[in-house]
Amino acid sequence: MRPYPMMSIRELVKVWGQLPEREGTIKQLTVDLSVTDSAKLKALCDLFPQRREQDIVTDLLSVALDEVAAVFPYQAGTQVTGHDEEGNPLYEDVGMTARYLELTKKYQQQFAKNHN
């Protein structure tokens, strides 16, 4: 589960003024940041002092991952999965989005199993 429902960076900045409950962490990463990105992160920490630096990084990464998935191009398959309001067939997505969602679900299940 993500710390926030799918949202844009703009919406995330609005939420940072509040203190919602957060999901527990199951994976830690060490990240090398450029001087410029380090300065930007520090500036965000100063603007939102109620947020921990690692929470800001987690939130940004979560929203960025959602945005990456949203820009994968749709690639129509051959299987009809439904119809639109005008009765036209809707075809399954066999592109990167479908594969990304499939892999995400696979790893979520692995992480949940290993975390319990």
Side-chain angles (χ1 to χ4, degrees), residues 1 11 14 19-20 35 41 50 53-54 62-64 67 69 71 74 82 85 95 105:
M1 187 154 200
E11 293 165 324
K14 289 179 185 176
L19 294 173
V35 170
L41 179 58
Q50 73 278 19
E53 183 178 55
Q54 59 265 38
S62 180
V63 172
E67 289 188 12
V71 300
Y74 169 75
E85 58 278 352
K105 184 175 181 178

Side-chain angles (χ1 to χ4, degrees), residues 38-85:
S38 295
K40 290 176 183 178
L41 179 58
K42 185 64 177 157
L44 286 173
C45 292
D46 287 353
L47 290 171
F48 301 97
Q50 73 278 19
R51 296 280 185 212
R52 297 179 310 160
E53 183 178 55
Q54 59 265 38
D55 291 337
I56 289 174
V57 171
T58 299
D59 293 346
L60 289 170
L61 181 58
S62 180
V63 172
L65 289 169
D66 288 340
E67 289 188 12
V68 165
V71 300
F72 286 144
Y74 169 75
Q75 186 177 350
T78 57
Q79 183 177 348
V80 176
T81 59
H83 293 84
D84 66 14
E85 58 278 352

Side-chain angles (χ1 to χ4, degrees), residues 13 45 67 89 93 100 115:
V13 170
C45 292
E67 289 188 12
D93 186 348
Y100 177 75
H115 191 59

